[in-house]
């Protein structure tokens, strides 16, 4: 599931919670982003949004529409979105090899050209009934259809292992999710909210590949195909009751089971003098999960409140395949949670938050299944990938502390800090297996992470009521981390940004025109992923400008431009051991991305 498949018109608000709560999954080491969809159907609403964007290498056209109405105790809403995107980009790729004394062994480079298109259609019908006894019944369905086709041509400066490589892509990914939600209200304010969910996905991925020698004679003709089907059912419920004064008690569950069937094949056409590498892998897996929780939001005094939560989550995966055999995976996590909020006496604009949490990150399905995905150019820096059925979840124990100060007219400033210790840390390890390099996730000891952040926003009218309608906003964060069992410089969490900062301004010039700008900075640096593998991320600086013109009460035009300030997107991979060092560098050029959107209320 991708958030891109949700139309912006369906979203009511987005909540960012730095500390986990029992109601939502405690699979939230860094916190939770809760995307709340609109819960009420509007009467007589007709909206259409059309937009286009492009930067010279990429262009996209998309549209969103929404129809909704109410008739007595019945309401409906029909939302749809479509997107068509085309890309044509040329990058720069370079590979360098050194011996144990760091003497150059060879260099090769290429300018791969990737071309293709992407098509997506999503439909979300919603039906809502209010029953005579006050209960609510809601039916909501998501249908998402996605198709991607493309090809990539790479011509290397040296013929090892191929002078030229041609690769295609034909990917089809379809999703169906339907949900029935029943809300029952009881006397005294108690409420039972239950949902039954059915989901099904189907994906077909075909990748034809060809390789050519120095004389441009074909030495490889390979077809890789993966077919995956998943279906599942879930039953989710939450019961809340206010029977104890000053307490908001609730308990709930989330149970489900599903099945996944996967077929993966790789077949080489026979070519004189070339040994074919053919594989067929079939897999069937059954997944079962259960989570139960209880929580209490307790107001001790008008200035002091407390939150206590307990959640248990368990998952079981049973799989069987010709290559992997029978695999049984079991894991469970018990998470106690504590949060408290204290408002300073006689200073209602100041408050302090403290949270103690136990959270986790479960390995993904693909990380657990031992089927191997082979690559054409197998090396230490471009290995095959394979799952590990022995993986355990990462467990984190953490403390979060935040101070918040609120001013008039929506101005505020906050400062926060966190510390977490992670056990059974997961990272990818590259090893040599039967003559091929393979990357596989492993649990490897402990990791620590800590960070601080400052956020703030200031409408100028909070200082002077006669000031222009301008709002300033900014945030900056600094993060540190270390991994115990990874030696050397740069042994930190691979996906963590050490420093990030955002600065923005919004200016409402009049009732019919507003504009704004934002600048984003993220630094990179060396990350040692494992004992022998490293990555290097470059600094990112991005500037965005936007303007919105209201043409009428029902129509507005939005335009924006964003730029990485001529900085290419760079990805560097390194591998070093006693035998030597390998470096792979990929540079993708950047350009100014222009967007234009028309929003119409019919």
């Amino acid at each position: 599931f991708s958030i891109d498949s949700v139309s912006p018109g369906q979203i009511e608000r987005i909540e960012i919670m730095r500390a986990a709560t029992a109601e939502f999954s405690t699979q939230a080491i860094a916190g939770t982003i809760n995307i709340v969809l609109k819960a009420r159907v509007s009467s007589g609403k007709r909206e259409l949004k059309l937009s286009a964007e492009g930067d010279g290498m990429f262009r996209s056209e998309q549209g969103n529409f929404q129809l909704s109405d109410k008739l007595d105790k019945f309401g409906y809403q029909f939302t749809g979105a479509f997107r068509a995107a085309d890309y044509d980009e040329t990058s720069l790729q370079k590979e360098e090899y050194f011996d144990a004394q760091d003497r150059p062994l060879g260099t090769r480079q290429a300018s791969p050209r990737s071309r293709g298109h992407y098509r997506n259609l999503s439909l979300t019908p919603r039906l809502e009934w209010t029953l005579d006894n006050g209960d609510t019944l809601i039916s909501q369905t998501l249908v998402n259809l996605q198709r991607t086709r493309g090809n990539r041509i790479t011509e290397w400066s040296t013929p090892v292992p191929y002078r030229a490589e041609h690769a295609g892509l034909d990917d089809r990914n379809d999703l169906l999710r339907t949900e029935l939600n029943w809300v029952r209200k009881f006397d005294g304010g108690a409420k039972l909210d239950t949902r039954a969910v059915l989901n099904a996905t189907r994906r077909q991925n075909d990748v034809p590949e060809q390789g050519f020698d120095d004389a441009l004679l074909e030495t490889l003709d390979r077809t890789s195909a993966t077919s995956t089907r998943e279906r599942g059912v879930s039953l989710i419920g939450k019961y809340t009751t206010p029977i104890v004064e000053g307490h908001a008690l609730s308990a709930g569950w989330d149970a489900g089971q599903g099945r996944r069937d996967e077929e993966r094949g790789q077949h080489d056409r026979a070519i004189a003098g070339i040994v074919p590498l053919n594989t067929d892998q079939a897999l069937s897996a059954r997944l079962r999960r259960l989570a139960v929780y209880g929580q209490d939001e307790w107001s001790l005094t008008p200035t002091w409140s407390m939150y206590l939560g307990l959640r248990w989550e368990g998952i079981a995966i049973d799989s069987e395949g010709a290559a992997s055999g029978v695999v049984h995976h079991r894991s469970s996590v018990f998470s106690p949670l504590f949060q408290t909020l204290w408002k300073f006496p006689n200073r209602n604009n100041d408050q302090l938050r403290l949270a103690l949490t136990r959270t986790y990150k479960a390995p993904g399905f693909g990380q657990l299944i031992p089927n191997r995905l082979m690559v054409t150019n197998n090396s230490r820096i471009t290995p095959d990938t394979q799952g590990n059925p022995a993986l355990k979840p990462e467990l984190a124990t953490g403390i979060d502390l935040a101070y918040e100060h609120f001013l008039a007219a929506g101005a505020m400033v906050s400062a926060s800090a966190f510390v977490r210790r992670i056990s059974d840390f997961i990272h990818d390890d590259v090893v040599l297996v039967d003559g091929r390099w393979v990357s596989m996730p492993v649990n490897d000891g402990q990791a620590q992470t800590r960070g601080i952040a400052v956020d703030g926003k200031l409408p100028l009218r909070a200082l002077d009521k006669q000031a222009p309608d301008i709002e300033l906003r900014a945030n900056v964060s600094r993060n540190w981390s270390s991994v115990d069992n990874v030696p050397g410089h740069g042994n930190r969490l691979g996906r963590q940004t050490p420093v990030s900062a955002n600065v923005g301004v919004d200016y409402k010039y009049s009732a019919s025109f507003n504009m704004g700008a934002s600048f984003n900075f993220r630094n990179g640096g060396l990350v040692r992923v494992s004992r022998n593998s490293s990555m290097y991320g470059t600094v990112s600086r991005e500037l965005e400008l936007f303007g919105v013109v209201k043409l009428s009460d029902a129509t507005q035009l939005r335009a924006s431009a964003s730029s990485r300030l001529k900085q290419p997107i760079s990805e560097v991979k390194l591998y070093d051991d006693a035998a030597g060092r390998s470096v792979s560098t990929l540079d993708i050029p950047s350009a100014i991305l222009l967007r234009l959107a028309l929003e119409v209320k019919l």
Side-chain angles (χ1 to χ4, degrees), residues 167-318:
L169 173 65
D170 189 348
D171 184 271
R172 180 174 180 175
N173 196 350
D174 301 330
L175 178 147
L176 170 65
R177 175 187 171 96
T178 185
E179 172 184 305
L180 186 62
N181 181 205
W182 174 44
V183 180
R184 175 68 189 274
K185 296 181 179 180
F186 300 94
D187 295 336
K191 182 173 71 172
L192 177 64
D193 189 333
T194 58
R195 286 183 289 151
V197 182
L198 300 174
N199 64 80
T201 61
R202 178 182 61 186
R203 183 173 186 181
Q204 180 67 42
N205 181 275
D206 298 308
V207 180
E209 298 173 280
Q210 294 174 291
F212 302 87
D213 63 12
D214 204 24
L216 296 183
L217 297 177
E218 188 176 34
T219 56
L220 175 71
D221 188 351
R222 173 174 296 165
T223 300
S224 302
T226 302
S227 177
T228 306
R229 292 175 179 267
E230 294 186 37
R231 56 271 191 200
V233 59
S234 301
L235 184 61
I236 305 166
K238 177 185 177 182
Y239 178 77
T240 59
T241 176
I243 55 174
V244 180
E245 185 176 356
H247 294 258
L249 299 172
S250 62
W253 70 91
D254 185 347
Q257 67 174 13
R259 182 179 176 86
R260 176 183 175 124
D261 295 295
E262 179 178 293
E263 296 179 357
R264 180 181 295 172
Q266 176 180 291
H267 299 94
D268 292 354
R269 182 173 64 86
I271 298 177
I274 306 298
V275 178
L277 182 61
N278 298 325
T279 61
D280 285 291
Q281 303 177 83
L283 175 79
S284 294
R286 182 187 178 194
L287 180 147
R288 290 166 292 162
R289 58 181 175 80
L290 174 64
V292 291
Y293 69 88
Q295 60 185 20
D296 179 15
E297 298 179 54
W298 181 15
S299 297
L300 288 85
T301 70
T303 60
W304 184 22
S305 60
M306 188 179 298
Y307 170 90
L308 298 173
L310 292 173
R311 185 179 178 99
W312 180 90
E313 294 191 37
I315 186 171
I317 298 177
D318 300 300

Side-chain angles (χ1 to χ4, degrees), residues 105-176:
L105 294 177
T107 300
R108 69 173 192 158
Q109 61 184 28
S111 297
R113 183 180 183 183
S114 300
R115 293 181 293 177
H117 64 260
Y118 164 92
R119 304 289 184 263
N120 179 267
L121 172 66
S122 65
L123 302 173
T124 312
R126 175 187 174 98
L127 306 175
E128 182 179 308
W129 294 270
T130 300
L131 307 181
D132 293 338
N133 62 355
D135 291 0
T136 303
L137 194 63
I138 301 171
S139 170
Q140 183 163 283
T141 300
L142 169 64
V143 179
N144 191 72
L145 309 176
Q146 179 178 306
R147 185 72 176 265
T148 304
R149 284 181 172 175
N151 63 77
R152 178 184 174 96
I153 298 176
T154 306
E155 295 185 2
W156 292 97
S157 57
T158 59
V160 180
Y162 304 104
R163 168 69 75 177
E165 300 174 19
H166 296 180
L169 173 65
D170 189 348
D171 184 271
R172 180 174 180 175
N173 196 350
D174 301 330
L175 178 147
L176 170 65

Side-chain angles (χ1 to χ4, degrees), residues 530-543:
S530 64
R531 292 169 179 80
N532 302 108
S533 299
S534 303
M535 298 187 304
Y536 189 88
T538 54
V539 173
S540 169
R541 300 177 180 89
E542 187 168 351
L543 176 67

